[in-house]
Amino acid sequence: MKALVIRNPHHMQLEEMEAQPLGPHDVRVRSKAVGICGTDLEIYEGQISSDFVKYPVVPGHEWSGIVVECGTEVTSVRPGDRVIAEGLLSCGSCAYCREGRTNLCHQYDQLGFTRPGGGAELVIVPARAVHLIPAEVSYEAAVLIEPAATVLRGITRTPIQPGMKAVIIGPGTLGLLTVQLLKAFGVDCICLIGRRNEQLELGRTIGASHFVNSRIMDVHAAIQVWTEGQGADLIVETSGSEEAVRLSMELARSGGHIVLTGVAGTGKKLVVESDYMMLRDLTVHGIFSYTTKSWHQALKLLEAHKLELEVLITHRFSIDQYEEAFEALRNKTKPTVKIVMLHDGEELAP
């Protein structure tokens, strides 16, 4: 089969590789669409710790496809089913897994990090990690369920409720998914912070009530006016920088909640006064990935038409155009949310 392989940092190519054997509890899925994100770029550039990625690696932790073969013990899906799959494959038996905290599994594998992901034409996945795609949802849009499940897990750890004022830092994929998910929970006062007016405008069209361009505006002053000097009830940081994490703490009201979903990268440091969070009674939620539960929750919202994922796809490429796809992610010369690569070139939208 053909697969996109990152042999080593800065060395990526399409090549032929042997299909993996199918176990009795596995399914073989023909990958149709592969989303790429900042983490894939960091894998390519060698910025992810060796604790999480093993080279050579086939990227693609956000992907969707169609089942072509099932193991002898699989009854939950069948060939022809359109599916997405959790990339984080927990063991199911360690203490964290038994608590339902599958994201903290002691001995997990992960598609696109330690085993081949959706960048391969054929992907082997345990049947327990596979979910059906709702009939009206495209393969391209379905790749966004993975990041949506992460964001959903983050915001549901807070006392989210209508009437609260929420700030989202970063108008990328995670930030714009956060806008949609907060709206789904009845939050109407949402301020989106970013540096590009085009991205901020997209946030407005999907539900953000206010936005602040941090490149030309005083963020602190704008939020103080918007919250009448109180600070925001909820801050969701999605950009992944030390500066943004510090800003999250400064913009939150005393007693507020902060959700950190962005990844700054190995070696980045944050310096903050030891008593800062204590004296302001802040609650900070560090969000590492999703759980199986948050996947089910995200799918229910999608089936209830609470999420509009298609609008977040800004770029489509054939898998053969992987260089252009990664370059678009790196440079972002135009509004960029989700970039999707398609294995079947004839399915490319105009």
Side-chain angles (χ1 to χ4, degrees), residues 170-220:
T173 301
L174 294 179
L176 295 175
L177 282 169
T178 304
V179 172
Q180 290 198 8
L181 288 164
L182 288 174
K183 292 287 291 185
F185 282 88
V187 178
D188 293 319
C189 294
I190 302 171
C191 182
L192 186 61
I193 297 175
R195 295 177 179 271
R196 297 187 175 195
N197 282 333
E198 300 90 346
Q199 302 276 126
L200 295 170
E201 176 61 22
L202 179 54
R204 186 193 63 78
T205 64
I206 63 173
S209 58
H210 296 74
F211 55 86
V212 175
N213 186 325
S214 59
R215 186 168 49 85
I216 59 176
M217 300 173 67
D218 184 326
V219 175
H220 293 84

Side-chain angles (χ1 to χ4, degrees), residues 213-236:
N213 186 325
S214 59
R215 186 168 49 85
I216 59 176
M217 300 173 67
D218 184 326
V219 175
H220 293 84
I223 298 302
Q224 283 294 300
V225 171
W226 182 56
T227 63
E228 299 178 340
Q230 298 300 306
D233 302 294
L234 171 65
I235 311 286
V236 182

